[in-house]
Amino acid sequence: MAKYKEVANEIRKRIKSGIYHSEEKIPDQESLAKEFGTSRVTVKKALDLLSVAGLVYTIQGSGTYVKKNAVNLAEQSIKIGQNVGLTAAAGERLELKTEVLDFNVRFPDEEECNQLSITKEEPVYDIKRLRILDEKPYSLEHTIIPIALAPNITKEILNRSLYDYLQGDLGIVFGDNRQTVRAVKPDDNDKKYLHCSNEDPVLEVSKVMFLERGTPLEYSVVHHRYDMVEMSFINVSREGLLG
Amino acid sequence: MAKYKEVANEIRKRIKSGIYHSEEKIPDQESLAKEFGTSRVTVKKALDLLSVAGLVYTIQGSGTYVKKNAVNLAEQSIKIGQNVGLTAAAGERLELKTEVLDFNVRFPDEEECNQLSITKEEPVYDIKRLRILDEKPYSLEHTIIPIALAPNITKEILNRSLYDYLQGDLGIVFGDNRQTVRAVKPDDNDKKYLHCSNEDPVLEVSKVMFLERGTPLEYSVVHHRYDMVEMSFINVSREGLLG
DNA sequence: TAGTGGTCTAGACCACCCT
DNA sequence: GGGTGGTCTAGACCACTAA
């Protein structure tokens, strides 16, 4: 592991364990460099990581300080854009199941061509799955994937884990993703599979997942039951980025 | 402006203008350093910025490449967590208005103490505002702010812009924020002010805004009309961060 | 094996905060 | 003016890719 990451982890450990208190100024970069037997540039790089992680802030000419909410952030460590509704709602063991409702191959429609940057002649998988938690259905996933990018998907794979197959077996590395969240009225499928009444709202999340190189891999629209899923995310302020 | 930012902006300009094409390898760091009359470390720092911005990716031992979707990202430049529904929906000029429904001072309840890290004895402002776009109400904001952190708020300020007052007049610098999004059923106020029917879902966004130092400044719960607001955000994958 | 990115150092200078 | 963070350099070595 790179030295600046080691230094960052050590300092993070000290913050979490209270050796560096909340709101307190931590030693200056020169001292830290001497303590860790490294150069100041390396210490600076470590502190930058912690700054992006929201644990510390620096004031030029004054010093580096532990943020008031640093411990909270360090503990919850919510990944940006990740669904936390489920894990939060479920304290104990719970039974997660997936039911494959539909698994087809076809040509993409206009919206899908647009989202996935493909032509109308490049076939895609069309996958509909129902997610079930402790016998209660909580979300309905509609996933579109170009066949060329993820060949040989089978129903058996979908019953296990699609992401495990893509990452593990195919060795695909995910990159960025873009999501849009809306509240919508339930459609027929929501009523049928999620047991939504006419008055039950639905949390709709559209997502495009990109590969490391920027190629769109997957376009999905997921409908969540309003009373079982929420989405949380943390926006870290970044001043130093571009102009 | 720092040299590494200048270099980053210049390279970004070249990507946007097509001088460096999508999927193409850009010159190696040594060459760029020579061209810009700087050191390789500085070029590396510039490329790191562009990498975080999602414009390029690097493969150690191979080179630095322009992402396939780089131009899209560069153009839309959606700030993470920002509402884009409105600007997207409105092509032309539109009239934005704010109506102050309620403006009070009181002691916080338990939830508010929790979110704002304050005691029950620290008074807060309780603000309810209605946002109106072209005569159509689209969101209902409930905002809680500790008086100690933002003194002398007046109804007149709320009619103009609260954020302008906080940032401009008080010189407050915002830091991170944490948001949670849900779909909920409309309550009485939604029906009254947003003209929601029983079957109209509501997009509820809870937000805690922190100051630079990690102090919670504002806790807000906003209800959006489902047919006028959506939220988009981009998750940039970061592999290099911590372990 | 050559090319390229990732990391690290020591020293330097500047900008800013605080007293 | 002393303390501290921000930036920059030149050179070095290592890790990885690609042929």
Side-chain angles (χ1 to χ4, degrees), chain B residues 2-4 37-42 45 60-62:
Chain B
K3 199 178 283 188
Y4 71 94
T38 183
S39 70
R40 188 160 79 88
V41 178
T42 300
K45 220 171 163 184
Q60 189 177 20
S62 173

Side-chain angles (χ1 to χ4, degrees), chain A residues 2-4 37-42 45 60-62:
Chain A
K3 199 179 284 187
Y4 71 94
T38 183
S39 70
R40 189 161 79 88
V41 178
T42 301
K45 220 170 163 185
Q60 189 176 23
S62 173

Side-chain angles (χ1 to χ4, degrees), chain B residues 20 24 34 39 49 54 64 69 80 90 114 125 129 151-152 165 182 185 201 210 215 217 232 238 241:
Chain B
Y20 296 151
E24 189 191 16
K34 200 170 290 180
S39 70
L49 282 188
T64 302
N69 55 344
I80 290 176
N114 204 353
Y125 289 113
R129 285 177 296 174
N152 304 325
Y165 173 69
R182 302 177 203 85
K185 294 182 181 180
F210 297 92
T215 309
L217 167 69
S232 288
R238 322 188 223 129
L241 297 192

Side-chain angles (χ1 to χ4, degrees), chain A residues 69-88:
Chain A
N69 56 343
V71 179
N72 287 345
L73 282 174
E75 278 175 2
Q76 62 187 49
S77 77
I78 294 172
K79 300 243 176 89
I80 291 177
Q82 199 171 20
N83 296 6
V84 290
L86 283 174
T87 44

Side-chain angles (χ1 to χ4, degrees), chain A residues 10-240:
Chain A
E10 173 57 28
I11 296 177
R12 187 179 52 163
K13 214 181 297 174
R14 292 182 186 177
I15 291 172
K16 285 180 72 169
S17 70
I19 297 178
Y20 296 151
H21 295 88
S22 190
E23 296 270 5
E24 188 192 17
K25 193 201 290 208
I26 72 178
D28 66 279
Q29 297 177 356
E30 199 73 61
S31 309
L32 289 171
K34 200 170 288 180
E35 184 201 332
F36 288 109
T38 183
S39 70
R40 189 161 79 88
V41 178
T42 301
V43 170
K44 171 69 163 58
K45 220 170 163 185
L47 293 176
D48 281 346
L49 282 188
L50 297 176
S51 178
V52 168
L55 296 185
V56 305
Y57 62 96
T58 60
I59 299 178
Q60 189 176 23
S62 173
T64 302
Y65 303 82
V66 179
K67 274 198 186 177
K68 203 175 182 181
N69 56 343
V71 179
N72 287 345
L73 282 174
E75 278 175 2
Q76 62 187 49
S77 77
I78 294 172
K79 300 243 176 89
I80 291 177
Q82 199 171 20
N83 296 6
V84 290
L86 283 174
T87 44
E92 292 300 299
R93 288 180 208 162
L94 36 88
E95 193 192 8
L96 268 168
K97 279 196 305 190
T98 300
E99 188 179 326
V100 178
L101 302 178
D102 203 8
F103 177 43
N104 272 311
V105 174
R106 58 172 172 80
F107 291 112
D109 65 25
E110 198 155 342
E111 171 72 3
E112 290 155 4
C113 289
N114 205 353
Q115 296 288 352
L116 294 170
S117 299
I118 56 177
T119 66
K120 287 193 173 174
E121 284 72 35
E122 297 178 73
V124 295
Y125 289 114
D126 179 327
I127 304 164
K128 290 200 181 76
R129 286 178 297 176
L130 182 63
R131 304 291 194 179
I132 302 165
L133 173 72
D134 271 342
E135 309 295 328
K136 281 181 287 188
Y138 68 91
S139 59
L140 200 51
E141 305 193 3
H142 188 183
T143 307
I144 307 293
I145 301 181
I147 292 181
L149 294 179
N152 304 325
I153 292 178
T154 65
K155 208 159 184 171
E156 208 267 322
I157 289 170
L158 296 178
N159 273 315
R160 284 185 293 137
S161 168
L162 177 57
Y163 275 30
D164 280 356
Y165 172 69
L166 295 175
Q167 292 186 305
D169 299 8
L170 293 186
I172 286 177
V173 177
F174 293 162
D176 311 336
N177 67 75
R178 175 161 41 81
Q179 300 189 42
T180 302
V181 184
R182 302 177 202 85
V184 299
K185 294 183 181 181
D187 60 26
D188 289 345
N189 279 329
D190 299 329
K191 291 175 190 171
K192 182 174 176 185
Y193 295 108
L194 295 178
H195 308 319
C196 292
S197 75
N198 274 329
E199 297 186 355
D200 287 341
V202 169
L203 185 68
E204 179 182 276
V205 181
S206 307
K207 179 170 72 173
V208 179
M209 173 69 75
F210 297 93
L211 298 178
E212 215 179 0
R213 287 154 169 66
T215 309
L217 167 68
E218 177 205 68
Y219 170 51
S220 68
V221 178
V222 183
H223 280 199
H224 298 287
R225 263 198 73 91
Y226 81 103
D227 52 3
M228 293 184 71
V229 177
E230 62 186 24
M231 295 192 60
S232 288
F233 42 97
I234 292 172
N235 305 307
V236 177
S237 72
R238 319 186 226 131
E239 309 171 16

